Amino acid sequence: MAEQRCSDRLNQARLDLGLSHGELFLRYFELGGMSNPLQLEAFCYGALEPSPHDHDVVAHALNERYTELGRNHPLPYATE
């Protein structure tokens, strides 16, 4: 986990799930994420470091999508 940056894991999961930045933002926002779409995109590309809370909301949004597709939820939470 430490070898791969948080942003790399988030963006790779987004790509793996076939989610656009807009689709991920809607899922993130529905779960109570408070950053704007541009900030969320910056989290995915490593331009901004998400707070532990924001990381957890993004990870949860992605993990929910993995579960919807019948797959494991591989993204760790910052608060684990």
Side-chain angles (χ1 to χ4, degrees):
M1 180 168 132
E3 293 179 14
Q4 190 180 26
R5 290 183 341 170
C6 163
S7 59
D8 294 338
R9 288 191 305 273
L10 296 177
N11 200 47
Q12 186 56 50
R14 182 188 67 79
L15 293 170
D16 183 44
L17 291 165
L19 293 174
S20 69
H21 289 288
E23 291 166 327
L24 177 56
F25 175 75
L26 287 176
R27 290 172 171 275
Y28 163 82
F29 186 75
E30 288 172 347
L31 292 171
M34 298 301 291
S35 295
N36 67 45
L38 187 57
Q39 290 169 315
L40 180 59
E41 190 170 340
F43 296 158
C44 289
Y45 290 119
L48 286 177
E49 186 68 28
S51 69
H53 174 76
D54 275 321
H55 175 273
D56 286 351
V57 176
V58 175
H60 189 71
L62 292 165
N63 284 336
E64 276 191 348
R65 183 62 182 145
Y66 277 114
T67 300
E68 289 169 3
L69 296 174
R71 298 167 64 184
N72 192 10
H73 45 80
L75 289 171
Y77 295 97
T79 56
E80 288 183 340

